[in-house]
Every structure is written in structure tokens, then in C-alpha cells.
Amino acid sequence: MNIKTTLIRFQSIIALLVLCIVLSFMSDKFLTPENGWNIMRQISVNVCISIGMTLVILTRGIDLSVGSILALSGAVAAGLLKYGIDVPSLNLFIGFTVFGAILGGLFVGGGLGVFNGWMITKFKVPPFVATLAMLTIARGATMLWTGGFPITGLGAHFAFIGTGWFLGIPMPVWITAILVVIAVIVTNKTKFGRYIYAIGGNESAARLSGLPINKIKIWVYTIAGILAAVGGIILTSRLDSAQPNAGFSYELDSIAAVVIGGTSLSGGRGSILGTVQGALIIGVLNSGLVLLNVSPFWQQIIKGFVILLAVILDRINHPNEE
Amino acid sequence: MEEDNIILQAVNITKKFAGVTALDNVSINVHKGKVNVIVGENGAGKSTLMKILSGVYPEYDGTLLLQGEPVNFSNPKDAMSKGIAIIHQELNLIPYLSISANIFLGREIVDPLGLLDFKKMNAITKRLLERVECNVPATTLVSSLRVGQQQQVEIAKALLEDAKVVIMDEPTSAITDAEVEVLFRIIASLKKQQVSIVYISHKLDELFLIADRFVGLRDGKMVGTIENAEQGTKDDLIRLMVGRDITNLYIKDTLPLGDEIFKVENVSLPKPSNASQFLVNNVSFSLRKGEVLGVFGLMGAGRTELLETLFGLHSERMSGSIFIDGRKVDIRSVKDAVANGMGLVPEDRKKDGLVLSMPIYKNVSMASLDQVIDNGFLNNRAENGLAKQYIADLKIKTPSQNERSKNLSGGNQQKVVLSKWLATTPKILFLDEPTRGIDVNAKNEIYHWINTLAKRGLGVLVVSSELPEIMAICDRIIVMGKSRITGEFTKNEATEDIIMNAAIL
Ligand SMILES: Nc1ncnc2c1ncn2[C@@H]1O[C@H](COP(=O)(O)OP(=O)(O)OP(=O)(O)O)[C@@H](O)[C@H]1O
Ligand SMILES: [Mg+2]
């Protein structure tokens, strides 16, 4: 392998390293353990969502609803934990443990994902439209569930998920790392993973090979929903509060991570590890810009150009694809 | 004086792709006003050379001379403006635009106000369409044209730019016999207007109808020419391509047939738009173990639709019954078909056969991943081994099983699709035009493979529009015309006349 192809191959890691080195010279607060964990904790939610987003995009789909699903799942978990289910007319009250509340949140996320997948496969609604509708629906449902007010005061046990440490590593980082490892194995080493790539690469050939296209797609959107819920629970726990407008525009950050990580929006090409690198680049950049006191307005502009740069580099690597 | 006859020259062209030398110091001449035919086996480098001549690949070693002047095309549009047009096998028209809009795409005529001058463009389009014998209005949407007509539009588009050289890469592989006749007439009239043609095809018989001279490529090298096509024979041509005589031009073994393995009763498929019209109309037949059953018919006779229906692709609309090993089966999806031991090698390998972005080995294992899975995880060694086995068996020309399928030549891609289905160890195999775009030598190999599969006890159903092929490889032939079966013949009864008559019934 010559130098040029090596450089191209590891472009995101190199970009990340360069970014870190530059930032550590510009701010002495950057290269500290606290800041490191801080960045990792902050990107963990994005990484969770982006794993699901990567799978969806690999099948040549898109999921715009993850931010709203995140909000609703977090709010449901928080609501169940704090208030339980109370139906006075039936004289019914069900209380929830932390574990039960979390399951409830995951269930909501998965359920909405199933619904997305069902619309897309059964009724042939384009993914963009189906998940755009879900973006609105789930956000509305969050407002209904919370009445428009945050649900706070969720207790120490629940807070452990987002703020606790285990063996010297923050809990959110544990959770995300485990999910990343599972996702890497699933995409590279299992039938399910292979089928995802095949469907995104050429759906018609995949269908004629007898692959269960609809089943795989429904699963992919379901997983995206569940992972958004995981993100929602981590976020709610970290803030000790379920905000009705939580996760606003998170789908865009997630798509950015996926794209910066080299996954093609036309499906069939990309990887989980690429997405993790993408999320890291965004996270490091965010943190660095804050430490350098760059105004938030400029931060957004810079982030936009980073996305463009990443895609241009990707185009140079893969000149012959649409 | 010699120079005057030569319009385009490729001098010492070398083109390398990662790991593959597609062209190795190739020099060829394109003679003015002649049909220059390039022959060679799959992967010989024909398409690559054409892509260089037409500006698709701007980077290569060597020189192109256009009328003696060195030229360098930076892209196809550039080549086109200098008079070189290519008609790819995959047509490149925009379906929801009119013929006229397609022909003028990128060079629209505008009136003084800057608005599109439809009247002028349609008038010019009309004249161009007449020259290519395409009798449809200039305003017709391209999406409503047949493949042959779309090809005529592509040629018309080339004529608009006053092309001096028109390159055609396997133009007859997807059009009807009638359309082939038209194409040959167009080629003859282009010749009269001093347009030079470069022509590639694996259908050796048709080449003698139009060729003026042959150029042979083998393994990326120019191996010789036959300057006077009339004096060449088919054997000469094969020797030029393959480098030796093919002695055993295929004749199928007669095998004892086994029990009935597959039976179809009254299968029909109505049109989606109109339930009283049929794409497949009341078809019944049976297939025995070890039998090769041919399905012949003209384009549009419903053969592909029949295979698709039997393969579970139209389960919601089909009616009729399917029996496997004497047992009635309910096939509601391709998955069911595969589970019941059926396989289908589709007609269009790029669109329906391969995931082009994936390496060969992933395509080979795609329909049978279960056999390379250990405890739920893909076993990389087993998967690669599977692919290696088929690369060796079917003589797939590639540096390794890791090569992306996109980079294979057409014929080798077809072999990968075949491997995918052989890997599922099917009981019943459907082959839809299995040798389209495949060279003589590889064709023979595939015929032998079909024979071997029959020997192993498979029932094989072959759809083909090449009569000699069907007559050579099948035990029995059914003929389809207008969506129904119009004839059935054993190998001994079948003659070209009888079959053709049944097909146009
Ligand atoms: N983009 C590419 N990348 C890598 N290898 C390539 C690429 N294009 C072609 N090749 C290789 O170059 C060789 C020549 O291919 P080419 O398509 O020119 O063959 P061909 O003569 O047109 O064959 P066929 O008759 O099957 O169409 C083949 O070995 C092929 O695998
Ligand atoms: Mg070719």
C-alpha cells in the first residue's frame, strides 16, 4: 500500500489526531482527563443514535424521527418512574421501578421504530416521508405526555445511568461502547449485517436472492428506534430531567456523524467504526470551539464546512459512485 | 495514402486497474467508412478499449490519433464534440423526457428570448428519427419506448453531433430480431455516409452480416486482424479470439431421465393494469430430474414473466398450481422458492443479479449464507473457500475473490451470478438467457455446466432467444408466443423452422 492510499484510508483518524494536536496547543484545558471524559460523555448520546442511523442509511434509508423518539422515550421513562400509571376511573395504579421505567422507554422507542418500518415496507412510504411524519407525531406525543413541562427529580438510582462511574469510566461511555462493539460484530459477522449491506447495495438483486427484505428493514428501523430510546434515557438521566423539547435536531447531528464517517447516503457502503469516528470529530470540534470561546454562531458555520469537507474527501475516494 | 483510410488510431495503449492490466500495449486502427469489429473473450479488454476511445477513461498510457493528430479526450462529451460517439450496452437516456429533449440534452436550441425552441428541435429530431428508421413522434416520452427504439434514439443523438466514429458495445444483446435488422440497415446507411463503426458482439453469426474487418484482442493484447471479413470463416474468428480451435462445439449427452421433479398447472398472471389481459396465460408443463427443458420465444412472449411468476415474485396476482416432487407447494415469495430448492439466474445481471459494490465472495454466498455460518457468525474462511471453489470451477477471470464485482467483465459477472445459485445446491434451476454477453469459449463451458448439473439430477429450465443454443442444449423445448405455450417438441422433432413457426403463431 502506498502513502496516498494509506492517507486516504485513515483520513478520519488522521483528521481527528490533527484536530486534537492543534487544539491541545491552542488551549491547555483541552488535553486533560476531565475534558476527555467530558467529550466522551457528550458524544455518547449521538453515538447511540448514530449506530441506528448507520444501519438505516446502509439500507439506503433515512430516519428523521430519532430526535423526537429520543424525547418521547426519555419522557415516558421519566413519567413512569415518577408518576407511574394512574387511572382513577378504574381505580388503577401501577408503579414502576427504575428497571421497569427504562423498559417502558425502550418499548416506546422500539414500537415507534416498528411503525416506521411498517409504513416503509408495507405501504411503500418513502423513508424520508415516513420518518418525517414520525418526527412530528412523536414530538407532539411528547408534549401531550409531559403537558409541555419538564419531568424532574428522578432519584439517585436513575441518575446513575447518566452520571455514574464504573471502574473509572462514566456509565454512558460504558453503555455506548458495549453497543458499538455489538454493532460492529453484527454488521461484519452476521447474516443480518450482510443482508443490510446487500439491500443497500442492490435491493433488486437482494430480493431475487431470496433475502427477507421487509423483515430486515423493519428490524433496522426498530433498532434505530430502540437506540434513540437508549439515548433518550441516558440524556434524561444525565440532566435529571425529561425536557419536552429534548433531542431537537439530533437527527441532523447523527446524519452528520454518519456522513463524516464515510457512509454513503446511497446505501451499501460504510461502517459503524466510521460513524464513531465521525461522532468523535464532531464532539472534539464542539469541545474545542467552546474552550476557545468561539461564538456559537461561528461554531455552527464551522461544523457545516466540516461536513462538506468530509463529503468532498469521500467523493475523491469513491469517484465513480452517485 | 494509407493514412487517408484510417480515421482513428490507438497507439501502444496500456491501461491498468488495481491489480489488473486490462490493456497491454494495444494498437488498433479504425478504418474510415468501415465496420471495424473487435472480437475477444470475456475480459479481453474490449469494453475498456472502447471507453478509452470515447473519453470515458481519460487516463491511460499511449496515444490516440484522430485523423493523424494526437488527441486526448477529457470526457465523453469532449470526445463527442470531436466526432466520436459511444452507444453503451446500458442505455443512458432520461426516461421522463421526450425523445427530442433527450437528443438535445445539453445543446438545446433557444429562441432570441432565451426560451426553448421546441418547434425547431422537434423538426430536427423528426429528420434524425427518420434516418434511424424510428417511426414515433419526436415528443414521445422515452420511458414508453422499447429497448430497440431507445437504442435508435441513442444513434440519432450521435448523428446530431455529426459523429465520424460510432462505437457500439454489444448493441444486439437486448433487442428483438426485427430490431436487429433495422440496426443493421442503419449501420449500412451510416457506412455510405462515410461514418466509421466500431462494433463489439459475442454473436459470431451476425458479425459476418456486417463486418468489414476483424480485430482480435486476447488477454489485453492485440493478437491480429482479419482485414477482409468476407474471406474469414467462423473458425478463423474463434482462433483469433481463443488462440486455438474449439474442437468440441457442444453437443448435449443424452441422459436417462429421472422422476418428475417440477410440475406447473394452469399458471396465469394477469397484467397489473388489466385483469382480463395476461402476461402468462394458462401455462402447464412438467420437468424431470436430469432434464434440460428449453423455453423459446421472441422478445415479449412472456418467458421472463413466466420464470418470475414461478419464482414467487408475483404471488399476489398469479393463479394456478406448482408441484415439486409431486407435492403441491405454496410459493408466496422468493424466499419460499429458494427454500423449496429453486434458483433463478436472472436476465439482467447488473440490475437483478449482483450487488456490484460487493466483492465476488459476498455475492457468491449471498443466497446460501447458512452454509458459511458457525454459531451465528459468518465464517470468513468458509466463505472465501466457497468463492474460490467456484472461481476455479467456472474459470472466473479475476485477480482474487476479493475483487469488487463491478470490476469484472460482463461475462465473468454472469459466472458469479451462476455461482451464487450453484452454491445453494438447487434442485430446480431457472436460467434466463444464461449466455447473453458470453464469449464462445465460456458459452461452451456454461453448456457443459448445464449438462453436469443435469447429470447430478437437477431439473434445468433454460430461457433463450438463441435458437441454435436452445437446440444444442435441451432435451425438450417448449415454445411461447403471446403469453401462452404454442408448441412443445422433443430434441429429435425440433428444427429451426418448426420452432420459429410455433413462436410466431
Ligand atoms: N474499473 C475496473 N477496475 C478493475 N478492473 C477492471 C475494471 N474494468 C475492467 N477491469 C478488468 O479489465 C479486464 C478487461 O475488461 P473489459 O470489460 O474491457 O472486458 P471485455 O473484453 O469487454 O469483456 P466482455 O466480453 O465480458 O464484456 C477484465 O479482467 C476486467 O476484470
Ligand atoms: Mg465488455
Side-chain angles (χ1 to χ4, degrees):
Chain A
M1 210 169 8
N2 62 27
I3 296 178
K4 193 175 148 205
T5 50
T6 319
L7 279 179
I8 286 175
R9 178 108 180 262
F10 296 107
Q11 61 182 31
S12 353
I13 293 188
I14 296 170
L16 198 56
L17 281 178
V18 171
L19 203 59
C20 288
I21 294 170
V22 171
L23 286 171
S24 61
F25 277 111
M26 291 172 77
S27 159
D28 48 6
K29 287 195 216 93
F30 179 76
L31 210 59
T32 58
E34 300 92 90
N35 193 44
W37 289 129
N38 229 340
I39 293 176
M40 301 274 272
R41 240 197 328 240
Q42 263 159 13
I43 68 165
S44 59
V45 172
N46 190 12
V47 172
C48 272
I49 301 177
S50 301
I51 292 172
M53 186 68 85
T54 308
L55 301 184
V56 168
I57 290 180
L58 280 174
T59 65
R60 204 176 188 161
I62 191 89
D63 189 346
L64 300 178
S65 63
V66 286
S68 302
I69 293 184
L70 173 146
L72 183 58
S73 314
V76 165
L80 291 179
L81 184 61
K82 184 143 191 213
Y83 307 117
I85 296 176
D86 191 5
V87 189
S89 57
L90 292 176
N91 219 344
L92 180 79
F93 177 80
I94 309 171
F96 282 80
T97 60
V98 169
F99 185 68
I102 290 174
L103 272 188
L106 296 179
F107 188 78
V108 167
L112 298 184
V114 172
F115 187 84
N116 276 338
W118 185 52
M119 287 295 127
I120 289 162
T121 53
K122 173 85 189 181
F123 300 102
K124 308 285 170 227
V125 181
F128 190 96
V129 180
T131 59
L132 180 65
M134 180 56 74
L135 174 146
T136 315
I137 295 170
R139 183 63 65 190
T142 313
M143 296 297 173
L144 269 183
W145 175 264
T146 60
F149 295 102
I151 305 175
T152 51
L154 302 170
H157 285 303
F158 188 72
F160 184 72
I161 300 167
T163 56
W165 292 68
F166 179 66
L167 298 178
I169 294 175
M171 279 306 285
V173 179
W174 272 113
I175 297 172
T176 335
I178 292 169
L179 290 173
V180 167
V181 171
I182 295 175
V184 168
I185 295 174
V186 167
T187 46
N188 289 312
K189 284 274 154 198
T190 67
K191 215 157 103 170
F192 178 68
R194 178 65 58 78
Y195 285 178
I196 289 176
Y197 281 94
I199 292 171
N202 184 347
E203 185 165 331
S204 162
R207 174 171 299 112
L208 277 171
S209 300
L211 311 197
I213 313 265
N214 289 353
K215 204 166 108 189
I216 301 273
K217 281 192 179 170
I218 292 179
W219 265 113
V220 162
Y221 286 94
T222 307
I223 292 171
I226 293 174
L227 289 174
V230 173
I233 289 162
I234 294 178
L235 187 70
T236 308
S237 158
R238 193 171 80 215
L239 305 175
D240 190 26
S241 159
Q243 304 278 345
N245 61 354
F248 185 75
S249 87
Y250 275 26
E251 61 281 350
L252 300 182
D253 274 349
S254 166
I255 295 170
V258 174
V259 167
I260 292 177
T263 295
S264 155
L265 281 178
S266 38
R269 176 170 65 77
S271 68
I272 297 289
L273 283 182
T275 298
V276 173
Q277 289 164 28
L280 270 169
I281 290 179
I282 298 178
V284 167
L285 197 69
N286 275 340
S287 148
L289 296 175
V290 169
L291 285 178
L292 297 175
N293 280 326
V294 176
S295 96
F297 307 145
W298 275 108
Q299 287 181 28
Q300 297 206 23
I301 293 173
I302 292 171
K303 237 172 25 182
F305 277 107
V306 168
I307 295 174
L308 285 178
L309 185 71
V311 177
I312 290 169
L313 285 176
D314 191 60
R315 280 295 76 152
I316 296 172
N317 290 349
H318 303 274
N320 296 325
E321 288 166 33
E322 282 150 46
Chain B
M1 127 110 227
E2 157 91 355
E3 303 282 283
D4 285 352
N5 302 329
I6 296 173
I7 174 132
L8 182 65
Q9 263 179 299
V11 186
N12 301 337
I13 301 277
T14 297
K15 173 80 188 170
K16 290 192 174 125
F17 298 104
V20 187
T21 304
L23 294 173
D24 184 3
N25 212 18
V26 169
S27 300
I28 69 156
N29 295 335
V30 176
H31 288 211
K32 190 184 275 175
K34 294 274 162 63
V35 177
N36 303 260
V37 171
I38 318 279
V39 293
E41 291 181 88
N42 296 128
K46 304 177 298 292
S47 298
T48 306
L49 183 58
M50 296 311 111
K51 287 177 184 165
I52 288 176
L53 293 183
S54 59
V56 178
Y57 293 145
E59 277 165 33
Y60 50 87
D61 296 326
T63 328
L64 295 185
L65 300 176
L66 181 60
Q67 291 173 315
E69 301 289 318
V71 281
N72 210 327
F73 306 127
S74 45
N75 55 47
K77 201 165 174 227
D78 185 24
M80 184 95 169
S81 69
K82 291 176 182 137
I84 312 225
I86 184 163
I87 290 154
H88 290 284
Q89 192 181 338
E90 303 86 34
L91 301 167
N92 292 314
L93 299 168
I94 299 179
Y96 294 108
L97 288 181
S98 70
I99 297 179
S100 155
N102 267 285
I103 286 186
F104 281 93
L105 198 66
R107 9 177 196 167
E108 288 78 2
I109 301 177
V110 291
D111 62 17
L113 291 175
L115 301 175
L116 290 173
D117 191 341
F118 290 108
K119 225 168 118 190
K120 214 178 210 165
M121 289 193 286
N122 289 342
I124 296 175
T125 302
K126 185 160 173 267
R127 278 204 302 279
L128 289 172
L129 288 178
E130 276 162 15
R131 271 176 78 188
V132 297
E133 299 193 31
C134 185
N135 301 319
V136 291
T139 49
T140 318
L141 289 191
V142 163
S143 58
S144 64
L145 299 179
R146 281 175 292 129
V147 180
Q149 292 173 315
Q150 294 188 20
Q151 200 175 55
Q152 289 157 3
V153 172
E154 290 263 24
I155 298 174
K157 196 170 162 182
L159 293 178
L160 176 67
E161 284 268 348
D162 242 347
K164 296 199 265 292
V165 179
V166 178
I167 299 171
M168 302 182 184
D169 194 350
E170 302 195 34
T172 55
S173 61
I175 61 177
T176 65
D177 287 350
E179 286 166 336
V180 171
E181 267 177 41
V182 175
L183 177 70
F184 287 0
R185 276 207 300 275
I186 299 171
I187 290 178
S189 87
L190 289 177
K191 256 170 68 174
K192 276 204 201 99
Q193 300 157 34
Q194 285 299 304
V195 176
S196 318
I197 312 284
V198 184
Y199 190 94
I200 295 177
S201 169
H202 289 292
K203 298 186 178 174
L204 300 189
D205 294 316
E206 78 182 23
L207 291 182
F208 288 98
L209 300 175
I210 51 163
D212 292 308
R213 54 191 294 272
F214 295 108
V215 180
L217 287 185
R218 198 186 310 148
D219 288 332
K221 298 193 182 69
M222 213 286 278
V223 288
T225 61
I226 299 175
E227 285 303 335
N228 203 335
E230 275 117 59
Q231 283 163 16
T233 64
K234 197 166 164 183
D235 286 339
D236 294 337
L237 213 53
I238 291 175
R239 213 170 303 123
L240 187 62
M241 294 170 67
V242 187
R244 60 185 160 79
D245 295 316
I246 298 182
T247 40
N248 53 342
L249 268 173
Y250 182 79
I251 297 165
K252 187 185 180 305
D253 298 348
T254 316
L255 304 165
L257 300 182
D259 299 336
E260 179 183 276
I261 189 168
F262 187 66
K263 189 168 72 169
V264 170
E265 269 179 7
N266 307 331
V267 164
S268 294
L269 179 71
K271 283 192 178 162
S273 51
N274 182 347
S276 63
Q277 288 182 330
F278 290 92
L279 294 165
V280 177
N281 194 347
N282 207 20
V283 167
S284 306
F285 66 85
S286 77
L287 179 65
R288 294 165 65 179
K289 282 186 182 161
E291 187 178 31
V292 181
L293 175 62
V295 182
F296 179 79
L298 303 174
M299 291 260 169
R303 297 163 305 163
T304 297
E305 288 80 0
L306 173 64
L307 293 193
E308 286 177 359
T309 308
L310 300 180
F311 206 56
L313 273 164
H314 305 297
S315 59
E316 64 303 332
R317 275 187 291 135
M318 80 163 271
S319 60
S321 336
I322 299 174
F323 301 84
I324 290 179
D325 285 328
R327 207 166 31 85
K328 187 163 191 259
V329 289
D330 188 20
I331 293 176
R332 323 218 104 264
S333 68
V334 177
K335 207 168 162 251
D336 294 348
V338 177
N340 277 297
M342 296 160 72
L344 167 69
V345 176
E347 190 176 9
D348 185 337
R349 55 189 161 243
K350 286 199 175 142
K351 194 166 129 279
D352 302 321
L354 290 171
V355 181
L356 289 169
S357 56
M358 279 188 170
I360 296 175
Y361 78 91
K362 290 188 184 174
N363 275 295
V364 171
S365 60
M366 180 167 305
S368 54
L369 277 183
D370 285 330
Q371 62 172 313
V372 293
I373 278 195
D374 285 340
N375 307 319
F377 294 113
L378 295 171
N379 178 335
N380 214 276
R381 267 230 330 257
E383 213 182 350
N384 278 291
L386 188 72
K388 277 189 193 152
Q389 176 200 331
Y390 284 104
I391 289 174
D393 275 359
L394 297 184
K395 304 200 179 74
I396 299 174
K397 192 173 173 245
T398 172
S400 87
Q401 72 278 7
N402 288 316
E403 186 73 14
R404 286 223 259 170
S405 315
K406 183 193 255 169
N407 296 342
L408 294 182
S409 78
N412 286 303
Q413 288 177 339
Q414 180 74 339
K415 292 185 189 174
V416 174
V417 183
L418 188 57
S419 306
K420 169 169 80 180
W421 287 108
L422 294 183
T424 65
T425 53
K427 292 192 286 189
I428 303 142
L429 190 60
F430 299 163
L431 304 170
D432 197 354
E433 305 282 1
T435 63
R436 170 167 296 167
I438 294 214
D439 70 56
V440 262
N441 201 20
K443 245 182 210 172
N444 257 321
E445 282 167 19
I446 286 188
Y447 296 160
H448 281 292
W449 256 99
I450 294 175
N451 197 22
T452 311
L453 295 175
K455 265 191 201 151
R456 288 187 194 160
L458 267 77
V460 184
L461 194 71
V462 182
V463 163
S464 172
S465 16
E466 284 186 49
L467 252 185
E469 168 169 298
I470 274 236
M471 298 197 12
I473 64 176
C474 297
D475 298 304
R476 194 156 55 92
I477 298 163
I478 55 182
V479 182
M480 281 186 81
K482 302 213 182 76
S483 311
R484 52 172 78 238
I485 291 186
T486 53
E488 176 173 340
F489 310 97
T490 64
K491 192 182 177 73
N492 298 330
E493 293 164 352
T495 65
E496 299 216 0
D497 286 345
I498 296 183
I499 295 180
M500 215 51 202
N501 279 330
I504 55 181
L505 215 59

